[in-house]
Amino acid sequence: MYELTIVKSLQPRQRHEEHTMTPEEKAYLISIGSASIDEALGVGLLPTTATAGPGAGGSSVFIRSGNRRVRLSINPASPLRIVPDGDAVAVIHNKKTIARGRLERPLCHCPEQAYITVSERCVFDCKFCPVPKLGGAIKDTETVVRMVEEAAAAGSLSAISLTSGVAGSPEQEVDRMAAVVRELRARFDLPIGVSVYPTADSTAILRAAGADEIKYNVETMDPTIFARVCPGLSLPSILDALEGAVEVFGRNAVFSNFIIGIGEEDEMVRDGVAYLAKLGVIPILRPISASPLRAGEIAVERPSAERLLHLAGMTRETLERHGLDPRRARTMCLPCTGCDLTPFWDV
């Protein structure tokens, strides 16, 4: 059990004091999820814009503190503020320093990875996701290859991660993604992770194309909530696909986003994490980001720092029992850690 003990960390720090962000501090930052930016950082700011998931359309920055990383959306109305602090930055609240670190340069969406959304549009209507409202671009294979080449030229590229909405049908999207993976596999000696909506053959197709890891998102393990927020999708089909993916990709190579803050109870989260872990799937507990494009369609509540710490600790214990370790993941969200309180990395 983890408890929030952040009183000491809220005291002002000396400008050049070395400090590694604690799990409690990171949980507090994630519980808010955003920050305003001091004008003095304008020239050196290293923002990235999300094109997939609940945070699509928003810009954010990454801060590295010791061995921990946090991603904060840029929001002028946020109670947090990122300010210069010597050769680093500090995140402050009511003139008190919460954490200190350095801004990290994202390559494509996140540091050290080319994390690319192939289809920035979706025919499904998940109520937490703004992508269907944005009508973004569909990248062809040549565009994706060029983006990866540019990321590689910038240095420190360690993985390629691909995600996608469903622009037409799930089957068409899998075929599009497979073509991209085949071309990337021929050109780059890097691990490739893929996140799509599953089809009957998607696991075999993407593995044959050269993908190393795969993510099928359950979104929530509460069937009642799933039916309400993901109309047209099938939770049983996703679970079947996850089970089959473990047989093909192996343990510690299959993942699933599990949104926190859309009305689920902690008991359901515990049971859902245990169910996925028993299959050999590593769940990623993702705090909900409320989208103004979905206002009135879904009630969301960003999880508190205390809840994030409790659920992350519970998830770590469950993963340990089932012999799963997020540190073995090479692509997508788990090695990034910016958006979540990640077991083994953070707690």
Side-chain angles (χ1 to χ4, degrees):
M1 176 70 69
Y2 291 84
E3 295 181 356
L4 183 65
T5 55
I6 201 168
V7 175
K8 182 177 180 181
S9 69
L10 287 172
Q11 301 305 312
R13 302 188 193 284
Q14 297 298 316
R15 168 169 286 191
H16 297 291
E17 178 185 352
E18 292 296 327
H19 175 71
T20 295
M21 185 190 307
T22 67
E24 292 80 11
E25 290 165 349
K26 182 173 177 180
Y28 183 75
L29 297 182
I30 292 176
S31 72
I32 296 173
S34 65
S36 62
I37 306 295
D38 191 278
E39 292 79 3
L41 291 170
V43 175
L45 199 60
L46 305 169
T48 182
T49 300
T51 53
S59 295
S60 59
V61 293
F62 287 88
I63 298 174
R64 184 84 180 193
S65 177
N67 59 356
R68 292 190 173 89
R69 171 187 289 144
V70 67
R71 173 179 174 264
L72 295 173
S73 299
I74 299 173
N75 179 3
S78 174
L80 299 179
R81 187 165 182 81
I82 301 173
V83 301
D85 186 25
D87 58 355
V89 297
V91 186
I92 62 173
H93 180 241
N94 290 335
K95 300 183 179 180
K96 294 182 179 179
T97 299
I98 306 298
R100 183 178 183 271
R102 59 182 176 84
L103 292 173
E104 280 194 291
R105 180 178 299 278
L107 296 179
C108 290
H109 180 60
C110 70
E112 301 176 359
Q113 295 189 52
Y115 206 145
I116 299 168
T117 304
V118 176
S119 291
E120 301 173 16
R121 60 182 67 175
C122 195
V123 297
F124 293 116
D125 191 32
C126 294
K127 302 305 181 183
F128 52 80
C129 184
V131 169
K133 307 283 189 179
L134 294 171
I138 300 175
K139 301 180 183 71
D140 57 26
T141 299
E142 291 73 18
T143 298
V144 176
V145 169
R146 184 174 66 252
M147 293 174 70
V148 176
E149 288 174 340
E150 291 171 355
S156 72
L157 179 64
S158 63
I160 301 169
S161 299
L162 306 171
T163 187
S164 194
V166 179
S169 71
E171 291 76 14
Q172 290 171 333
E173 206 62 56
V174 169
D175 289 343
R176 189 196 326 274
M177 187 68 81
V180 173
V181 172
R182 280 192 294 271
E183 188 65 24
L184 293 172
R185 175 52 66 216
R187 291 170 177 256
F188 299 95
D189 184 22
L190 291 168
I192 300 175
V194 178
S195 177
V196 294
Y197 184 73
T199 68
D201 303 319
S202 56
T203 296
I205 290 171
L206 293 167
R207 183 60 170 170
D212 299 293
E213 298 177 338
I214 199 159
K215 178 149 69 82
Y216 297 141
N217 294 331
V218 295
E219 315 298 6
T220 180
M221 288 290 282
D222 185 312
T224 301
I225 295 176
F226 186 96
R228 184 171 69 248
V229 304
C230 295
L233 303 187
S234 169
L235 180 57
S237 295
I238 297 170
L239 293 172
D240 287 345
L242 286 167
E243 183 174 12
V246 174
E247 296 176 3
V248 173
F249 283 84
R251 297 167 64 81
N252 294 304
V254 181
F255 322 120
S256 188
N257 281 7
F258 190 142
I259 297 174
I260 305 299
I262 54 176
E264 72 290 331
E265 299 291 337
D266 283 1
E267 182 177 2
M268 185 280 298
V269 177
R270 183 196 65 213
D271 293 346
V273 166
Y275 185 97
L276 292 170
K278 187 176 180 180
L279 295 180
V281 176
I282 299 178
I284 300 164
L285 302 190
R286 174 60 45 82
I288 185 65
S289 296
S291 170
L293 295 179
R294 290 295 187 172
E297 295 186 61
I298 184 173
V300 304
E301 181 179 359
R302 188 87 176 177
S304 68
E306 293 88 348
R307 189 181 186 206
L308 289 168
L309 286 162
H310 167 68
L311 293 177
M314 174 273 298
T315 300
R316 174 171 178 151
E317 293 170 0
T318 303
L319 294 177
E320 285 179 323
R321 287 199 305 271
H322 291 277
L324 297 171
D325 188 345
R327 292 170 297 186
R328 295 182 60 183
R330 296 180 292 165
T331 70
M332 298 183 281
C333 299
L334 288 171
C336 175
T337 75
C339 298
D340 316 302
L341 207 62
T342 306
F344 294 88
W345 286 109
D346 295 317
V347 296

